[in-house]
Amino acid sequence: MSDGFFCSYHLCWSRPDAESLLGDLEAAGVRADHPATRRITLLSPGAEPSGTQSWVTRDQLVLLAGLQRLDRVDFLLWLDSGAGIPARIGRGDDGTVGLRFGLGSLSRADQERALRAIREAIGRASLLCVGFVVDREGASASTDWQGFIVKGSVYFDCWPDTLAVLPEVAAAQPQLSGVNSFEQSPWVVYGSDVPNR
């Protein structure tokens, strides 16, 4: 997932959060089951979409995505067009959970549909979400976004399309000083996108 991406970071995560996320994504048009086969595809750790795949039930996906048994799960989400979105939910060393959605294989129209759905789903859980980043081209993929968004302790070389952080991170991070932004509770949002809520 080194091309375009959407990443968000959460201080708390559990099975109900995973179930809520999947339900909200489905309501917005991004589903866990393939539109034709109805199969839910789990990816082996580190595998690309063409790598080792297995099929699971929705309940199994919710259990795994709740990170009760594993620290990371990779799976595919689908648009009605049949376009796949690689997704990863993983717990970092500090306990923060990162959600990553790959946008690289999507057409521009599918990217926008996926981003709108993901953004809406993340927005509903904003009390748990400490920030997010959207980079349609993936130019900033090498940045430690978790270190920037959660701790405000690293810097980035390339601006993403959208960056949302908590006000205390925005105030402490010199790279954000004097940059145009707007408040979208609970975040301060930077960049060319104006995410809808």
Side-chain angles (χ1 to χ4, degrees), residues 12 14 30 38 40 55 63 67-69 91 93 96-98 100 111 131 153 169 174-175 177:
C12 301
S14 65
V30 176
R38 299 292 184 236
I40 296 174
W55 294 291
L63 177 68
L67 303 182
Q68 293 178 307
R69 297 185 178 175
R91 189 181 324 278
D93 293 339
T96 303
V97 171
R100 184 177 180 95
Q111 261 192 11
S153 61
V169 171
Q175 279 187 287
S177 177

Side-chain angles (χ1 to χ4, degrees), residues 126-127 129-130 165-168 184-188 197:
S126 62
L127 293 178
C129 180
V130 295
V165 296
L166 294 176
E168 55 268 24
Q184 184 178 26
S185 184
W187 311 294
V188 180
R197 247 183 124 166

Side-chain angles (χ1 to χ4, degrees), residues 11-197:
L11 296 181
C12 301
W13 192 258
S14 65
R15 182 178 177 160
D17 297 314
E19 190 158 18
S20 175
L21 174 71
L22 290 173
D24 289 343
L25 286 171
E26 288 164 359
V30 176
R31 48 201 292 171
D33 62 324
H34 189 278
T37 66
R38 299 292 184 236
R39 288 183 169 168
I40 296 174
T41 306
L42 195 66
L43 302 173
S44 294
E48 294 302 319
S50 60
T52 305
Q53 301 178 358
S54 56
W55 294 291
V56 295
T57 66
R58 190 178 193 286
D59 287 343
Q60 288 170 326
L61 179 60
V62 167
L63 177 68
L64 294 170
L67 303 182
Q68 293 178 307
R69 297 185 178 175
L70 302 171
D71 283 332
R72 181 177 130 188
V73 62
D74 290 68
F75 56 99
L76 290 176
L77 293 169
W78 303 94
L79 295 172
D80 288 336
S81 66
I85 303 167
R88 174 179 297 149
I89 300 176
R91 189 181 324 278
D93 293 339
D94 63 355
T96 303
V97 171
L99 280 60
R100 184 177 180 95
F101 304 90
L103 306 172
S105 64
L106 301 177
S107 69
R108 188 62 163 191
D110 280 347
Q111 261 192 11
E112 295 310 313
R113 272 191 285 282
L115 283 171
R116 193 169 33 259
I118 293 165
R119 181 62 194 90
E120 286 174 9
I122 296 300
R124 289 187 185 101
S126 62
L127 293 178
L128 300 175
C129 180
V130 295
F132 64 88
V133 58
V134 176
D135 187 338
R136 286 176 177 80
E137 302 299 322
S140 67
S142 63
T143 299
D144 174 11
W145 285 115
Q146 181 173 341
F148 187 94
I149 291 171
V150 177
K151 301 172 188 165
S153 61
V154 300
Y155 296 93
F156 57 87
D157 295 326
C158 181
W159 272 92
D161 294 301
T162 303
L163 175 62
V165 296
L166 294 176
E168 55 268 24
V169 171
Q173 187 40 266
Q175 279 187 287
L176 302 178
S177 177
V179 178
N180 288 339
S181 65
F182 65 94
E183 289 188 27
Q184 184 178 26
S185 184
W187 311 294
V188 180
V189 181
Y190 300 85
S192 58
D193 287 347
V194 178
N196 294 323
R197 247 183 124 166

